[in-house]
Amino acid sequence: KTRVLTGITTSGTPHLGNYVGAIRPAIAASRAPDAESFYFLADYHSLIKAQDPARTQRSTLEIAAAWLACGLDPDKVWFYRQSDVPEIPELTWLLTCVAGKGILNRAHAYKAAVDKNRAEGEDDDAGITAGLFMYPVLMAADILLFNAHKVPVGRDQVQHIEMARDFGQRFNHVYGDEYFVLPEAAVDDFVATLPGLDGRKMSKSYDNTIPMFAPRAELKKLIAGILTDSRMPGEPKDTEGSALFQFYQAFASKEQTAAFAQAFADGIGWGDAKQQLFERIDAEVAPLREKYEALMAKPDEIEAILRDGAARLRAAHATPALLRLREAVGLRDLS
Ligand code: ATP
């Protein structure tokens, strides 16, 4: 079976970008008969960006409920919270000791932070934590511990998967066996990256999102805030570069999208276009929202599902894998 792994950082409320870019395709992929799916809540990762305990906890619950509401079946896939699996940080250290520092220096997220400091006349590493610097190693551990074959990611994450391959390969080479499968990035060009309300990528940590399960009235208000140009009703509109059109496309069939493009050419007013978009999105998320709200009313049940998922995963995969790796590097045998 092909092992496919997807994580969402518990850094805020899940949004339409997470739904379109990760949750919806991951759940569809998990139904393929030859797939073994791993879905996790990346709460160690969230500490890099959001050092707000209440936010992390709320986000963990919300993202778990979002996966479940969208049809994840915890009996058929591996569903767990990263910090419930202590083998992940332990493997992170083993990999840290084979990871080239020069490779980490080139990681996009770290380089972007250094560039920002330079532009502002600060020291290169001002305000940058070792957590941000080491983040690709933690991500490599997430993937390599379970010997995942495929990691569906956006283009911006391809570099991190290459790093995971590099660290895995070095470990295999140094310790002389095929301990790790080398993972591949699966970039799906049909999966959209949704823009946020400020025009940057929609992202939990930018606070520019449309929450996946915003109540109807709020959803409508947020959609009204999507950026458009100032063309008047009756003037033809460009679909190219239109955030509104990108959203519509992500929630509509080919035929519906073609009709919407025609309406743009015919000069639909932005108010009408936003109303149509709202109806389209609401039609898809309304049934999920109901399930989500019911789940959020029972946090203990969500918690029990997560704990059970991690316990089973540790017994089946994580603990035996780590015993073998400890032995490989010469640490005390715990078995
Ligand atoms: P953070 O700000 O903490 O990075 P995020 O909301 O940008 O959060 P992640 O939790 O890092 O997203 O990513 C989870 C998944 O959601 C990834 O598979 C990512 O590709 C997808 N995703 C995130 N943002 C978008 C977006 N705007 N459009 C499409 N997919 C997205």
Side-chain angles (χ1 to χ4, degrees):
K1 284 201 168 186
T2 306
R3 293 188 176 175
V4 186
L5 179 129
T6 303
I8 296 189
T9 318
T10 58
S11 46
T13 299
H15 53 76
L16 292 180
N18 297 140
Y19 174 68
V20 165
I23 298 180
R24 191 175 62 185
I27 291 194
S30 76
R31 301 205 168 115
D34 64 337
E36 181 179 7
S37 302
F38 294 73
Y39 299 140
F40 70 102
L41 311 174
D43 56 348
Y44 282 131
H45 284 285
S46 79
L47 305 183
I48 297 169
K49 297 174 187 164
Q51 293 170 327
D52 175 345
R55 181 172 172 134
T56 300
Q57 283 189 6
R58 193 176 53 248
S59 172
T60 302
L61 204 61
E62 288 173 344
I63 295 173
W67 277 111
L68 293 165
C70 291
L72 177 149
D73 179 347
D75 292 328
K76 297 216 174 99
V77 301
W78 299 107
F79 182 49
Y80 55 101
R81 171 170 47 201
Q82 188 185 30
S83 68
D84 285 339
V85 184
E87 289 82 1
I88 295 171
E90 189 165 355
L91 176 57
T92 302
W93 181 251
L94 302 190
L95 294 174
T96 301
C97 297
V98 295
K101 178 172 176 287
I103 292 183
L104 294 174
N105 286 339
R106 293 193 287 276
H108 295 319
Y110 172 66
K111 266 178 59 183
V114 170
D115 288 348
K116 184 163 175 277
N117 277 340
R118 285 187 186 161
E120 289 167 4
E122 301 274 0
D123 285 346
D124 276 9
D125 284 327
I128 299 179
T129 65
L132 177 71
F133 185 68
M134 294 283 300
Y135 145 66
V137 189
L138 176 58
M139 183 161 162
D142 291 327
I143 300 168
L144 296 175
L145 182 60
F146 303 108
N147 282 325
H149 302 98
K150 267 194 188 174
V151 188
V153 287
R155 285 206 180 281
D156 55 326
Q157 288 285 327
V158 171
Q159 185 197 39
H160 291 140
I161 311 301
E162 278 163 8
M163 290 186 183
R165 289 174 67 87
D166 185 275
F167 306 153
Q169 199 161 23
R170 278 184 201 223
F171 190 100
N172 288 347
H173 177 73
V174 171
Y175 295 106
D177 205 345
E178 295 299 305
Y179 290 100
F180 296 119
V181 163
L182 304 183
E184 298 206 359
V187 180
D188 186 342
D189 288 324
F190 294 102
V191 169
T193 299
L194 293 185
L197 293 171
D198 57 0
R200 293 189 288 174
K201 171 183 121 71
M202 187 179 288
S203 195
K204 287 179 248 90
S205 36
Y206 296 160
D207 284 323
N208 65 352
T209 70
I210 301 182
M212 231 172 114
F213 297 118
R216 286 190 89 219
E218 191 191 331
L219 179 65
K220 191 165 175 161
K221 209 168 107 198
L222 289 169
I223 288 174
I226 294 175
L227 298 173
T228 56
D229 61 29
S230 55
R231 278 183 236 184
M232 303 300 285
E235 288 183 69
K237 314 281 188 296
D238 289 329
T239 53
E240 185 83 25
S242 159
L244 203 67
F245 191 77
Q246 263 178 284
F247 273 92
Y248 195 89
Q249 200 167 22
F251 284 89
S253 66
K254 267 205 179 116
E255 293 72 29
Q256 288 166 327
T257 304
F260 202 58
Q262 187 58 50
F264 267 51
D266 293 344
I268 187 174
W270 289 126
D272 283 352
K274 285 176 174 173
Q275 177 63 26
Q276 285 191 25
L277 175 64
F278 163 69
E279 284 166 15
R280 193 78 285 297
I281 296 181
D282 193 54
E284 182 160 335
V285 298
L288 309 175
R289 186 194 291 131
E290 242 173 70
K291 289 186 196 153
Y292 175 82
E293 282 166 3
L295 283 156
M296 286 300 283
K298 293 180 284 187
D300 294 353
E301 281 184 24
I302 298 177
E303 185 59 31
I305 291 172
L306 290 176
R307 288 192 193 192
D308 176 60
R312 286 188 289 120
L313 179 71
R314 290 187 69 199
H317 287 296
T319 308
L322 210 81
L323 286 177
R324 178 161 181 255
L325 296 169
R326 285 180 63 105
E327 192 191 330
V329 302
L331 298 179
R332 183 166 70 87
D333 183 357
L334 297 177
S335 59

Short mmCIF file of all heavy atoms in Angstrom, two decimals, residues 6-9 11 15 17-18 21-22 49 152-154 192-194 201-206, ligand 1:
data_model
loop_
_atom_site.label_atom_id
_atom_site.label_comp_id
_atom_site.label_asym_id
_atom_site.label_seq_id
_atom_site.Cartn_x
_atom_site.Cartn_y
_atom_site.Cartn_z
N THR A 6 -0.48 13.60 5.65
CA THR A 6 -0.89 15.01 5.59
C THR A 6 -1.01 15.58 6.99
O THR A 6 -1.63 14.95 7.86
CB THR A 6 -2.29 15.14 4.93
OG1 THR A 6 -2.26 14.55 3.64
CG2 THR A 6 -2.72 16.60 4.80
N GLY A 7 -0.43 16.74 7.22
CA GLY A 7 -0.56 17.39 8.53
C GLY A 7 -1.09 18.80 8.39
O GLY A 7 -0.91 19.44 7.36
N ILE A 8 -1.79 19.24 9.42
CA ILE A 8 -2.22 20.64 9.46
C ILE A 8 -1.74 21.24 10.79
O ILE A 8 -1.92 20.63 11.85
CB ILE A 8 -3.75 20.77 9.32
CG1 ILE A 8 -4.18 20.26 7.94
CG2 ILE A 8 -4.19 22.22 9.50
CD1 ILE A 8 -5.62 20.53 7.58
N THR A 9 -1.10 22.39 10.70
CA THR A 9 -0.55 23.04 11.90
C THR A 9 -1.68 23.59 12.77
O THR A 9 -2.61 24.23 12.25
CB THR A 9 0.37 24.21 11.47
OG1 THR A 9 1.15 23.79 10.37
CG2 THR A 9 1.28 24.63 12.60
N SER A 11 -2.32 26.14 14.38
CA SER A 11 -1.97 27.54 14.64
C SER A 11 -3.16 28.47 14.53
O SER A 11 -3.00 29.68 14.53
CB SER A 11 -0.86 27.96 13.67
OG SER A 11 -1.19 27.54 12.37
N HIS A 15 -9.39 26.95 7.76
CA HIS A 15 -10.00 27.90 6.82
C HIS A 15 -10.27 27.24 5.47
O HIS A 15 -9.90 26.07 5.24
CB HIS A 15 -9.11 29.13 6.67
CG HIS A 15 -7.68 28.81 6.32
ND1 HIS A 15 -7.27 28.44 5.07
CD2 HIS A 15 -6.56 28.82 7.09
CE1 HIS A 15 -5.97 28.24 5.06
NE2 HIS A 15 -5.50 28.45 6.29
N GLY A 17 -8.92 27.61 2.67
CA GLY A 17 -7.70 27.15 2.01
C GLY A 17 -7.30 25.77 2.49
O GLY A 17 -6.95 24.89 1.69
N ASN A 18 -7.35 25.54 3.80
CA ASN A 18 -7.02 24.20 4.35
C ASN A 18 -7.99 23.16 3.80
O ASN A 18 -7.60 22.02 3.52
CB ASN A 18 -7.13 24.18 5.88
CG ASN A 18 -6.15 25.10 6.59
OD1 ASN A 18 -6.51 25.75 7.56
ND2 ASN A 18 -4.93 25.18 6.10
N GLY A 21 -7.25 22.87 -0.13
CA GLY A 21 -5.88 22.46 -0.44
C GLY A 21 -5.44 21.20 0.27
O GLY A 21 -4.49 20.56 -0.15
N ALA A 22 -6.09 20.84 1.37
CA ALA A 22 -5.61 19.68 2.12
C ALA A 22 -6.74 18.71 2.49
O ALA A 22 -6.70 17.54 2.12
CB ALA A 22 -4.89 20.14 3.39
N LYS A 49 5.20 29.17 15.42
CA LYS A 49 4.54 30.40 14.94
C LYS A 49 3.67 31.06 16.00
O LYS A 49 3.55 32.27 16.03
CB LYS A 49 3.65 30.07 13.75
CG LYS A 49 4.41 29.56 12.56
CD LYS A 49 3.46 29.13 11.47
CE LYS A 49 4.20 28.45 10.35
NZ LYS A 49 3.32 27.71 9.48
N PRO A 152 1.40 14.91 -0.03
CA PRO A 152 0.78 15.93 -0.88
C PRO A 152 1.08 17.31 -0.28
O PRO A 152 0.81 17.54 0.89
CB PRO A 152 -0.73 15.64 -0.78
CG PRO A 152 -0.84 14.30 -0.11
CD PRO A 152 0.40 14.11 0.69
N VAL A 153 1.67 18.17 -1.06
CA VAL A 153 2.03 19.50 -0.56
C VAL A 153 1.85 20.55 -1.64
O VAL A 153 1.75 20.24 -2.83
CB VAL A 153 3.53 19.57 -0.13
CG1 VAL A 153 3.77 18.83 1.15
CG2 VAL A 153 4.45 19.08 -1.24
N GLY A 154 1.84 21.79 -1.22
CA GLY A 154 1.89 22.91 -2.16
C GLY A 154 3.34 23.08 -2.62
O GLY A 154 4.27 22.54 -2.00
N ALA A 192 -6.12 24.17 -5.82
CA ALA A 192 -5.89 25.62 -5.82
C ALA A 192 -5.23 26.08 -4.52
O ALA A 192 -5.41 25.46 -3.48
CB ALA A 192 -7.23 26.33 -5.97
N THR A 193 -4.49 27.16 -4.61
CA THR A 193 -4.05 27.86 -3.41
C THR A 193 -4.94 29.09 -3.29
O THR A 193 -4.94 29.96 -4.17
CB THR A 193 -2.58 28.30 -3.53
OG1 THR A 193 -1.79 27.13 -3.68
CG2 THR A 193 -2.12 29.04 -2.27
N LEU A 194 -5.72 29.15 -2.25
CA LEU A 194 -6.66 30.27 -2.14
C LEU A 194 -5.98 31.50 -1.53
O LEU A 194 -5.20 31.39 -0.59
CB LEU A 194 -7.85 29.88 -1.25
CG LEU A 194 -8.77 28.80 -1.81
CD1 LEU A 194 -9.97 28.61 -0.88
CD2 LEU A 194 -9.27 29.16 -3.19
N LYS A 201 -1.41 34.75 0.54
CA LYS A 201 -1.97 33.40 0.66
C LYS A 201 -2.81 33.32 1.93
O LYS A 201 -2.43 33.85 2.96
CB LYS A 201 -0.81 32.40 0.74
CG LYS A 201 -1.21 30.97 1.08
CD LYS A 201 0.04 30.09 1.20
CE LYS A 201 0.21 29.43 2.54
NZ LYS A 201 -0.61 28.39 2.98
N MET A 202 -3.98 32.66 1.82
CA MET A 202 -4.78 32.50 3.03
C MET A 202 -4.01 31.61 3.99
O MET A 202 -3.57 30.52 3.63
CB MET A 202 -6.14 31.87 2.69
CG MET A 202 -7.08 31.84 3.89
SD MET A 202 -8.71 31.13 3.54
CE MET A 202 -9.47 32.40 2.55
N SER A 203 -3.83 32.08 5.23
CA SER A 203 -2.97 31.37 6.16
C SER A 203 -3.41 31.66 7.58
O SER A 203 -3.69 32.81 7.91
CB SER A 203 -1.54 31.86 5.94
OG SER A 203 -0.62 31.02 6.55
N LYS A 204 -3.46 30.60 8.40
CA LYS A 204 -3.93 30.80 9.78
C LYS A 204 -3.12 31.86 10.48
O LYS A 204 -3.65 32.69 11.22
CB LYS A 204 -3.84 29.49 10.57
CG LYS A 204 -4.87 28.47 10.17
CD LYS A 204 -4.69 27.20 10.98
CE LYS A 204 -4.23 26.04 10.13
NZ LYS A 204 -2.78 25.89 10.00
N SER A 205 -1.80 31.83 10.25
CA SER A 205 -0.99 32.77 11.02
C SER A 205 -1.01 34.19 10.47
O SER A 205 -0.46 35.08 11.10
CB SER A 205 0.43 32.24 11.19
OG SER A 205 0.84 31.56 10.06
N TYR A 206 -1.65 34.43 9.35
CA TYR A 206 -1.78 35.82 8.87
C TYR A 206 -3.10 36.45 9.33
O TYR A 206 -3.33 37.62 9.04
CB TYR A 206 -1.74 35.88 7.34
CG TYR A 206 -0.44 35.46 6.69
CD1 TYR A 206 -0.43 35.08 5.35
CD2 TYR A 206 0.76 35.45 7.40
CE1 TYR A 206 0.75 34.70 4.73
CE2 TYR A 206 1.94 35.06 6.78
CZ TYR A 206 1.93 34.69 5.45
OH TYR A 206 3.08 34.31 4.82
P1 ATP B 1 0.14 28.36 9.02
O1 ATP B 1 -0.13 29.81 8.92
O2 ATP B 1 0.26 27.85 10.43
O3 ATP B 1 1.27 27.88 8.12
P2 ATP B 1 -1.73 27.53 7.05
O4 ATP B 1 -3.16 27.77 7.22
O5 ATP B 1 -0.98 28.35 6.05
O6 ATP B 1 -1.12 27.65 8.48
P3 ATP B 1 -0.78 24.74 7.19
O7 ATP B 1 -1.39 24.27 8.44
O8 ATP B 1 0.69 24.98 7.17
O9 ATP B 1 -1.55 26.03 6.63
O10 ATP B 1 -1.12 23.77 5.99
C1 ATP B 1 -2.05 22.72 6.06
C2 ATP B 1 -2.44 22.29 4.68
O11 ATP B 1 -3.34 23.26 4.13
C3 ATP B 1 -1.29 22.15 3.69
O12 ATP B 1 -1.51 20.97 2.93
C4 ATP B 1 -1.41 23.36 2.82
O13 ATP B 1 -0.93 23.11 1.50
C5 ATP B 1 -2.89 23.65 2.83
N1 ATP B 1 -3.14 25.09 2.69
C6 ATP B 1 -2.80 26.05 3.58
N2 ATP B 1 -3.17 27.26 3.14
C7 ATP B 1 -3.76 27.07 1.93
C8 ATP B 1 -4.34 27.93 0.95
N3 ATP B 1 -4.41 29.24 1.13
N4 ATP B 1 -4.85 27.37 -0.17
C9 ATP B 1 -4.78 26.03 -0.38
N5 ATP B 1 -4.24 25.18 0.50
C10 ATP B 1 -3.73 25.67 1.64
#
